[in-house]
Amino acid sequence: MLRDLFDNFLTNVGETFKQISFVDIIDILCVAVILYFTYKFVKDRRAGKLALGVLLIIVFLFISELIELHAMQFLFHNIFQVGVLSLVILFQPEIRSFLEKVGGGSLKGIKSIAEGRDPDAQIKMINEVCLAASDMSESRTGALIAFERSTKIGEYAATGTIVNADINSLLIKNIFYNKAPLHDGAVIIRKGKIYAAGCVLPLTQQTGLNRNLGTRHRAAVGLSENSDAVVLVVSEETGTISLAVKGNLISGLTPVTLKEKLREYLTTNSITDTLKTRSKKYKKKKSAPDQQIN
């Protein structure tokens, strides 16, 4: 009896797999990828608790229909009539952030190629910023520097003063000098230049951050939550150097580790760099025999 049931089960499974086409496989994979990235995005955010609450309501609705609890069915059905609109309102910050990351990340590689960014210029920019951060850390000068990546943060740049100047460590230190008019706001770096200074950034709503962290750190985390920007913070009280990335704060950086992190997050894609490195090695190998002949 059990064997017959098992054989029937295997037969049904086999027939089902035979009916699956290549398009069905692509469809399943796409849905799986969307669900995976949705889960990855939601799990460490405030939206995770909201999603859990929605899931519990769906479970209660299923149970109420299963055992015919008519009052519960009436209540939950009325909740779901306005539920979609309520979810859009409740999840608005998370939905916006998710769509910005999807739209920005999908074309990130193509965008960097189209802009034609020079890796050497990016390294020079990072070196100048790290030099300024090191000096400001020693003198305990507070600083807040946001590096714009694929997501534009023009709405925050508009709150400050447009500078549009080449990056220089002396200029950065002058901006954050405690008697300078723009020192309280953030500097926004766009396309390798100081685009704006004295900018106001959104504060994070996280409650788990260290209470000793000031407004600069909370603004850095807040911007990294709302965009893919990398935000550098120098503490005025302790001189500690930190980086905010994707809603997380990396503290206790030295000038060396800061440079490594900025190169990791800001330099152009590794494929382009690898191709250039291989090209240089090939040219050296090709020119070596000529030098020996001479």
PDB file of all heavy atoms in Angstrom, residues 4-28:
ATOM      1  N   ASP A   4       2.773   1.573  -3.216  1.00  0.00           N
ATOM      2  CA  ASP A   4       1.948   2.072  -4.315  1.00  0.00           C
ATOM      3  C   ASP A   4       1.772   3.594  -4.225  1.00  0.00           C
ATOM      4  O   ASP A   4       1.848   4.299  -5.238  1.00  0.00           O
ATOM      5  CB  ASP A   4       0.572   1.401  -4.299  1.00  0.00           C
ATOM      6  CG  ASP A   4       0.668  -0.089  -4.655  1.00  0.00           C
ATOM      7  OD1 ASP A   4       1.665  -0.465  -5.314  1.00  0.00           O
ATOM      8  OD2 ASP A   4      -0.243  -0.840  -4.258  1.00  0.00           O
ATOM      9  N   LEU A   5       1.553   4.080  -2.983  1.00  0.00           N
ATOM     10  CA  LEU A   5       1.421   5.529  -2.796  1.00  0.00           C
ATOM     11  C   LEU A   5       2.708   6.249  -3.165  1.00  0.00           C
ATOM     12  O   LEU A   5       2.694   7.312  -3.797  1.00  0.00           O
ATOM     13  CB  LEU A   5       1.038   5.831  -1.334  1.00  0.00           C
ATOM     14  CG  LEU A   5      -0.378   5.445  -0.900  1.00  0.00           C
ATOM     15  CD1 LEU A   5      -0.546   5.655   0.605  1.00  0.00           C
ATOM     16  CD2 LEU A   5      -1.410   6.281  -1.673  1.00  0.00           C
ATOM     17  N   PHE A   6       3.834   5.643  -2.760  1.00  0.00           N
ATOM     18  CA  PHE A   6       5.125   6.248  -3.062  1.00  0.00           C
ATOM     19  C   PHE A   6       5.381   6.261  -4.575  1.00  0.00           C
ATOM     20  O   PHE A   6       5.884   7.249  -5.125  1.00  0.00           O
ATOM     21  CB  PHE A   6       6.231   5.480  -2.326  1.00  0.00           C
ATOM     22  CG  PHE A   6       7.595   6.068  -2.497  1.00  0.00           C
ATOM     23  CD1 PHE A   6       7.938   7.274  -1.898  1.00  0.00           C
ATOM     24  CD2 PHE A   6       8.553   5.412  -3.273  1.00  0.00           C
ATOM     25  CE1 PHE A   6       9.198   7.819  -2.064  1.00  0.00           C
ATOM     26  CE2 PHE A   6       9.820   5.950  -3.440  1.00  0.00           C
ATOM     27  CZ  PHE A   6      10.139   7.161  -2.832  1.00  0.00           C
ATOM     28  N   ASP A   7       5.026   5.152  -5.239  1.00  0.00           N
ATOM     29  CA  ASP A   7       5.204   5.073  -6.691  1.00  0.00           C
ATOM     30  C   ASP A   7       4.331   6.103  -7.402  1.00  0.00           C
ATOM     31  O   ASP A   7       4.763   6.749  -8.366  1.00  0.00           O
ATOM     32  CB  ASP A   7       4.864   3.664  -7.195  1.00  0.00           C
ATOM     33  CG  ASP A   7       5.900   2.632  -6.771  1.00  0.00           C
ATOM     34  OD1 ASP A   7       7.033   3.053  -6.439  1.00  0.00           O
ATOM     35  OD2 ASP A   7       5.571   1.422  -6.751  1.00  0.00           O
ATOM     36  N   ASN A   8       3.088   6.241  -6.924  1.00  0.00           N
ATOM     37  CA  ASN A   8       2.193   7.244  -7.508  1.00  0.00           C
ATOM     38  C   ASN A   8       2.731   8.667  -7.314  1.00  0.00           C
ATOM     39  O   ASN A   8       2.630   9.515  -8.202  1.00  0.00           O
ATOM     40  CB  ASN A   8       0.795   7.141  -6.893  1.00  0.00           C
ATOM     41  CG  ASN A   8       0.071   5.875  -7.340  1.00  0.00           C
ATOM     42  OD1 ASN A   8       0.334   5.354  -8.422  1.00  0.00           O
ATOM     43  ND2 ASN A   8      -0.826   5.388  -6.501  1.00  0.00           N
ATOM     44  N   PHE A   9       3.309   8.873  -6.124  1.00  0.00           N
ATOM     45  CA  PHE A   9       3.899  10.185  -5.826  1.00  0.00           C
ATOM     46  C   PHE A   9       5.046  10.487  -6.778  1.00  0.00           C
ATOM     47  O   PHE A   9       5.141  11.580  -7.348  1.00  0.00           O
ATOM     48  CB  PHE A   9       4.382  10.216  -4.369  1.00  0.00           C
ATOM     49  CG  PHE A   9       5.166  11.445  -4.022  1.00  0.00           C
ATOM     50  CD1 PHE A   9       4.522  12.669  -3.831  1.00  0.00           C
ATOM     51  CD2 PHE A   9       6.552  11.394  -3.890  1.00  0.00           C
ATOM     52  CE1 PHE A   9       5.247  13.809  -3.516  1.00  0.00           C
ATOM     53  CE2 PHE A   9       7.276  12.528  -3.579  1.00  0.00           C
ATOM     54  CZ  PHE A   9       6.621  13.739  -3.389  1.00  0.00           C
ATOM     55  N   LEU A  10       5.933   9.488  -6.967  1.00  0.00           N
ATOM     56  CA  LEU A  10       7.064   9.681  -7.873  1.00  0.00           C
ATOM     57  C   LEU A  10       6.593   9.896  -9.306  1.00  0.00           C
ATOM     58  O   LEU A  10       7.152  10.708 -10.053  1.00  0.00           O
ATOM     59  CB  LEU A  10       8.018   8.480  -7.801  1.00  0.00           C
ATOM     60  CG  LEU A  10       8.800   8.296  -6.501  1.00  0.00           C
ATOM     61  CD1 LEU A  10       9.666   7.045  -6.575  1.00  0.00           C
ATOM     62  CD2 LEU A  10       9.678   9.518  -6.232  1.00  0.00           C
ATOM     63  N   THR A  11       5.553   9.182  -9.691  1.00  0.00           N
ATOM     64  CA  THR A  11       5.008   9.341 -11.045  1.00  0.00           C
ATOM     65  C   THR A  11       4.449  10.744 -11.258  1.00  0.00           C
ATOM     66  O   THR A  11       4.696  11.385 -12.289  1.00  0.00           O
ATOM     67  CB  THR A  11       3.896   8.303 -11.298  1.00  0.00           C
ATOM     68  OG1 THR A  11       4.422   6.986 -11.103  1.00  0.00           O
ATOM     69  CG2 THR A  11       3.356   8.425 -12.716  1.00  0.00           C
ATOM     70  N   ASN A  12       3.714  11.227 -10.248  1.00  0.00           N
ATOM     71  CA  ASN A  12       3.151  12.575 -10.343  1.00  0.00           C
ATOM     72  C   ASN A  12       4.242  13.637 -10.388  1.00  0.00           C
ATOM     73  O   ASN A  12       4.146  14.622 -11.141  1.00  0.00           O
ATOM     74  CB  ASN A  12       2.220  12.851  -9.154  1.00  0.00           C
ATOM     75  CG  ASN A  12       0.959  12.006  -9.212  1.00  0.00           C
ATOM     76  OD1 ASN A  12       0.513  11.635 -10.299  1.00  0.00           O
ATOM     77  ND2 ASN A  12       0.390  11.690  -8.063  1.00  0.00           N
ATOM     78  N   VAL A  13       5.285  13.426  -9.549  1.00  0.00           N
ATOM     79  CA  VAL A  13       6.407  14.371  -9.551  1.00  0.00           C
ATOM     80  C   VAL A  13       7.091  14.376 -10.915  1.00  0.00           C
ATOM     81  O   VAL A  13       7.432  15.429 -11.466  1.00  0.00           O
ATOM     82  CB  VAL A  13       7.410  14.025  -8.431  1.00  0.00           C
ATOM     83  CG1 VAL A  13       8.691  14.838  -8.586  1.00  0.00           C
ATOM     84  CG2 VAL A  13       6.796  14.279  -7.061  1.00  0.00           C
ATOM     85  N   GLY A  14       7.305  13.173 -11.468  1.00  0.00           N
ATOM     86  CA  GLY A  14       7.937  13.074 -12.781  1.00  0.00           C
ATOM     87  C   GLY A  14       7.127  13.753 -13.867  1.00  0.00           C
ATOM     88  O   GLY A  14       7.674  14.462 -14.721  1.00  0.00           O
ATOM     89  N   GLU A  15       5.792  13.559 -13.834  1.00  0.00           N
ATOM     90  CA  GLU A  15       4.932  14.196 -14.820  1.00  0.00           C
ATOM     91  C   GLU A  15       4.954  15.723 -14.686  1.00  0.00           C
ATOM     92  O   GLU A  15       4.941  16.457 -15.676  1.00  0.00           O
ATOM     93  CB  GLU A  15       3.485  13.692 -14.662  1.00  0.00           C
ATOM     94  CG  GLU A  15       3.286  12.238 -15.058  1.00  0.00           C
ATOM     95  CD  GLU A  15       3.542  11.998 -16.544  1.00  0.00           C
ATOM     96  OE1 GLU A  15       3.276  12.939 -17.341  1.00  0.00           O
ATOM     97  OE2 GLU A  15       4.010  10.904 -16.904  1.00  0.00           O
ATOM     98  N   THR A  16       5.011  16.160 -13.428  1.00  0.00           N
ATOM     99  CA  THR A  16       5.063  17.612 -13.193  1.00  0.00           C
ATOM    100  C   THR A  16       6.341  18.206 -13.763  1.00  0.00           C
ATOM    101  O   THR A  16       6.325  19.261 -14.407  1.00  0.00           O
ATOM    102  CB  THR A  16       4.966  17.909 -11.677  1.00  0.00           C
ATOM    103  OG1 THR A  16       3.759  17.345 -11.164  1.00  0.00           O
ATOM    104  CG2 THR A  16       4.975  19.415 -11.423  1.00  0.00           C
ATOM    105  N   PHE A  17       7.483  17.540 -13.511  1.00  0.00           N
ATOM    106  CA  PHE A  17       8.761  18.036 -14.019  1.00  0.00           C
ATOM    107  C   PHE A  17       8.809  18.019 -15.543  1.00  0.00           C
ATOM    108  O   PHE A  17       9.451  18.881 -16.162  1.00  0.00           O
ATOM    109  CB  PHE A  17       9.920  17.217 -13.451  1.00  0.00           C
ATOM    110  CG  PHE A  17      10.386  17.685 -12.100  1.00  0.00           C
ATOM    111  CD1 PHE A  17      10.054  16.992 -10.951  1.00  0.00           C
ATOM    112  CD2 PHE A  17      11.148  18.838 -11.986  1.00  0.00           C
ATOM    113  CE1 PHE A  17      10.487  17.427  -9.709  1.00  0.00           C
ATOM    114  CE2 PHE A  17      11.585  19.290 -10.747  1.00  0.00           C
ATOM    115  CZ  PHE A  17      11.250  18.592  -9.601  1.00  0.00           C
ATOM    116  N   LYS A  18       8.146  17.057 -16.157  1.00  0.00           N
ATOM    117  CA  LYS A  18       8.126  16.997 -17.620  1.00  0.00           C
ATOM    118  C   LYS A  18       7.383  18.193 -18.214  1.00  0.00           C
ATOM    119  O   LYS A  18       7.686  18.628 -19.327  1.00  0.00           O
ATOM    120  CB  LYS A  18       7.447  15.699 -18.072  1.00  0.00           C
ATOM    121  CG  LYS A  18       8.317  14.456 -17.879  1.00  0.00           C
ATOM    122  CD  LYS A  18       7.565  13.209 -18.347  1.00  0.00           C
ATOM    123  CE  LYS A  18       8.411  11.956 -18.130  1.00  0.00           C
ATOM    124  NZ  LYS A  18       7.696  10.721 -18.544  1.00  0.00           N
ATOM    125  N   GLN A  19       6.407  18.716 -17.466  1.00  0.00           N
ATOM    126  CA  GLN A  19       5.615  19.842 -17.961  1.00  0.00           C
ATOM    127  C   GLN A  19       6.315  21.185 -17.762  1.00  0.00           C
ATOM    128  O   GLN A  19       5.876  22.205 -18.296  1.00  0.00           O
ATOM    129  CB  GLN A  19       4.253  19.873 -17.255  1.00  0.00           C
ATOM    130  CG  GLN A  19       3.376  18.658 -17.576  1.00  0.00           C
ATOM    131  CD  GLN A  19       2.098  18.637 -16.764  1.00  0.00           C
ATOM    132  OE1 GLN A  19       1.833  19.565 -16.005  1.00  0.00           O
ATOM    133  NE2 GLN A  19       1.309  17.586 -16.907  1.00  0.00           N
ATOM    134  N   ILE A  20       7.403  21.179 -16.974  1.00  0.00           N
ATOM    135  CA  ILE A  20       8.128  22.433 -16.721  1.00  0.00           C
ATOM    136  C   ILE A  20       8.988  22.772 -17.928  1.00  0.00           C
ATOM    137  O   ILE A  20       9.816  21.972 -18.372  1.00  0.00           O
ATOM    138  CB  ILE A  20       9.003  22.312 -15.461  1.00  0.00           C
ATOM    139  CG1 ILE A  20       8.120  22.101 -14.221  1.00  0.00           C
ATOM    140  CG2 ILE A  20       9.860  23.567 -15.276  1.00  0.00           C
ATOM    141  CD1 ILE A  20       8.892  21.879 -12.946  1.00  0.00           C
ATOM    142  N   SER A  21       8.788  23.978 -18.451  1.00  0.00           N
ATOM    143  CA  SER A  21       9.564  24.425 -19.602  1.00  0.00           C
ATOM    144  C   SER A  21      10.719  25.321 -19.148  1.00  0.00           C
ATOM    145  O   SER A  21      10.832  25.678 -17.973  1.00  0.00           O
ATOM    146  CB  SER A  21       8.664  25.205 -20.571  1.00  0.00           C
ATOM    147  OG  SER A  21       8.191  26.387 -19.953  1.00  0.00           O
ATOM    148  N   PHE A  22      11.550  25.694 -20.102  1.00  0.00           N
ATOM    149  CA  PHE A  22      12.686  26.577 -19.801  1.00  0.00           C
ATOM    150  C   PHE A  22      12.207  27.932 -19.293  1.00  0.00           C
ATOM    151  O   PHE A  22      12.801  28.525 -18.391  1.00  0.00           O
ATOM    152  CB  PHE A  22      13.545  26.752 -21.064  1.00  0.00           C
ATOM    153  CG  PHE A  22      14.725  27.655 -20.866  1.00  0.00           C
ATOM    154  CD1 PHE A  22      15.832  27.233 -20.149  1.00  0.00           C
ATOM    155  CD2 PHE A  22      14.705  28.938 -21.397  1.00  0.00           C
ATOM    156  CE1 PHE A  22      16.912  28.070 -19.961  1.00  0.00           C
ATOM    157  CE2 PHE A  22      15.792  29.784 -21.211  1.00  0.00           C
ATOM    158  CZ  PHE A  22      16.896  29.347 -20.496  1.00  0.00           C
ATOM    159  N   VAL A  23      11.107  28.431 -19.862  1.00  0.00           N
ATOM    160  CA  VAL A  23      10.536  29.716 -19.429  1.00  0.00           C
ATOM    161  C   VAL A  23      10.075  29.635 -17.981  1.00  0.00           C
ATOM    162  O   VAL A  23      10.242  30.583 -17.200  1.00  0.00           O
ATOM    163  CB  VAL A  23       9.362  30.119 -20.348  1.00  0.00           C
ATOM    164  CG1 VAL A  23       8.690  31.396 -19.843  1.00  0.00           C
ATOM    165  CG2 VAL A  23       9.843  30.302 -21.776  1.00  0.00           C
ATOM    166  N   ASP A  24       9.502  28.480 -17.589  1.00  0.00           N
ATOM    167  CA  ASP A  24       9.066  28.300 -16.198  1.00  0.00           C
ATOM    168  C   ASP A  24      10.251  28.358 -15.234  1.00  0.00           C
ATOM    169  O   ASP A  24      10.152  28.920 -14.138  1.00  0.00           O
ATOM    170  CB  ASP A  24       8.336  26.961 -16.044  1.00  0.00           C
ATOM    171  CG  ASP A  24       7.027  26.916 -16.821  1.00  0.00           C
ATOM    172  OD1 ASP A  24       6.389  27.978 -16.928  1.00  0.00           O
ATOM    173  OD2 ASP A  24       6.670  25.834 -17.322  1.00  0.00           O
ATOM    174  N   ILE A  25      11.368  27.760 -15.646  1.00  0.00           N
ATOM    175  CA  ILE A  25      12.568  27.773 -14.798  1.00  0.00           C
ATOM    176  C   ILE A  25      13.071  29.207 -14.607  1.00  0.00           C
ATOM    177  O   ILE A  25      13.413  29.622 -13.496  1.00  0.00           O
ATOM    178  CB  ILE A  25      13.673  26.890 -15.416  1.00  0.00           C
ATOM    179  CG1 ILE A  25      13.224  25.423 -15.416  1.00  0.00           C
ATOM    180  CG2 ILE A  25      14.984  27.041 -14.661  1.00  0.00           C
ATOM    181  CD1 ILE A  25      14.162  24.492 -16.149  1.00  0.00           C
ATOM    182  N   ILE A  26      13.097  29.971 -15.721  1.00  0.00           N
ATOM    183  CA  ILE A  26      13.512  31.374 -15.637  1.00  0.00           C
ATOM    184  C   ILE A  26      12.573  32.152 -14.722  1.00  0.00           C
ATOM    185  O   ILE A  26      12.993  32.969 -13.893  1.00  0.00           O
ATOM    186  CB  ILE A  26      13.546  32.020 -17.032  1.00  0.00           C
ATOM    187  CG1 ILE A  26      14.585  31.324 -17.928  1.00  0.00           C
ATOM    188  CG2 ILE A  26      13.844  33.510 -16.934  1.00  0.00           C
ATOM    189  CD1 ILE A  26      16.004  31.453 -17.439  1.00  0.00           C
ATOM    190  N   ASP A  27      11.274  31.868 -14.839  1.00  0.00           N
ATOM    191  CA  ASP A  27      10.264  32.544 -14.017  1.00  0.00           C
ATOM    192  C   ASP A  27      10.492  32.260 -12.537  1.00  0.00           C
ATOM    193  O   ASP A  27      10.473  33.164 -11.695  1.00  0.00           O
ATOM    194  CB  ASP A  27       8.878  32.071 -14.457  1.00  0.00           C
ATOM    195  CG  ASP A  27       7.760  32.865 -13.811  1.00  0.00           C
ATOM    196  OD1 ASP A  27       8.017  33.994 -13.361  1.00  0.00           O
ATOM    197  OD2 ASP A  27       6.625  32.363 -13.752  1.00  0.00           O
ATOM    198  N   ILE A  28      10.737  30.994 -12.205  1.00  0.00           N
ATOM    199  CA  ILE A  28      10.968  30.601 -10.806  1.00  0.00           C
ATOM    200  C   ILE A  28      12.236  31.240 -10.260  1.00  0.00           C
ATOM    201  O   ILE A  28      12.272  31.737  -9.119  1.00  0.00           O
ATOM    202  CB  ILE A  28      11.037  29.060 -10.696  1.00  0.00           C
ATOM    203  CG1 ILE A  28       9.672  28.445 -11.002  1.00  0.00           C
ATOM    204  CG2 ILE A  28      11.502  28.635  -9.303  1.00  0.00           C
ATOM    205  CD1 ILE A  28       9.704  26.939 -11.173  1.00  0.00           C
TER     206      ILE A  28
END
